[in-house]
């Protein structure tokens, strides 16, 4: 089971991406896929952070793909930027720039793959 949405850009894609997650989680539930009670909120947070990063660092089109993979959901955000995300060390004194720190805490795996027109950041979020 998967879903793919193409966004043209702009800040409206952030709340729209959370709506995509809400609908996808509803499809999972309707198909009898078991998920932790916190899964939907965690998925919305991960998607918000990744789409916000795409908007902030690679303004323009963005692609969101959610795919059920065994006991996890892969959240993949593709954008046109050529720069890779910067994973900063934990610093409770830093204001902002904690998005990838949050994503890496919630997900089992976070990888970035370059492609001809930019990159894709994929995060594997466990269902349970």
């Amino acid at each position: 089971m998967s879903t793919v949405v193409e966004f043209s850009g702009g800040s409206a894609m952030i709340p729209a991406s959370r709506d995509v997650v809400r609908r996808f989680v509803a499809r999972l539930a309707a198909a009898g896929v078991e998920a932790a009670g916190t899964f939907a909120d965690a998925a919305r947070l991960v998607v918000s952070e990744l789409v916000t990063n795409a908007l902030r660092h690679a303004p323009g089109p963005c692609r969101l793909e959610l795919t059920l993979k065994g006991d996890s959901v892969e959240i993949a955000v593709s954008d046109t930027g050529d720069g890779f995300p910067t994973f900063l060390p934990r610093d409770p004194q830093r204001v902002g720039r904690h998005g990838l720190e949050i994503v890496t805490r919630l997900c089992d795996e976070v990888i970035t793959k370059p492609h001809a027109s930019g990159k894709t950041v994929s995060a594997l979020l466990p269902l349970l």
Side-chain angles (χ1 to χ4, degrees):
M1 180 180 308
S2 67
T3 192
V4 177
V5 178
E6 303 276 345
F7 296 109
S8 59
S11 61
M13 68 185 188
I14 298 166
S17 67
R18 290 192 291 263
D19 288 340
V20 171
V21 170
R22 182 185 49 75
R23 290 190 302 270
F24 185 74
V25 169
R27 283 180 53 212
L28 292 175
V33 175
E34 187 178 344
T38 57
F39 176 78
D41 288 338
R44 281 192 298 272
L45 179 56
V46 169
V47 164
S48 291
E49 292 297 340
L50 294 180
V51 171
T52 297
N53 283 351
L55 176 64
R56 193 171 282 158
H57 301 289
C62 171
R63 173 185 167 112
L64 170 62
E65 184 170 0
L66 305 172
T67 306
L68 178 62
K69 291 195 170 187
D71 60 354
S72 297
V73 169
E74 180 181 54
I75 300 168
V77 176
S78 301
D79 64 44
T80 58
D82 55 4
F84 275 46
T86 302
F87 292 88
L88 300 172
R90 185 176 182 278
D91 179 0
Q93 302 301 315
R94 184 176 63 245
V95 176
R97 300 194 65 200
H98 292 280
L100 286 175
E101 184 181 337
I102 292 167
V103 170
T104 58
R105 291 265 184 175
L106 292 172
C107 297
D108 287 343
E109 177 180 82
V110 179
I111 58 171
T112 303
K113 293 180 184 175
H115 48 79
S117 61
K119 68 179 168 307
T120 299
V121 178
S122 298
L124 198 59
L125 181 64
L127 288 161
L128 299 172

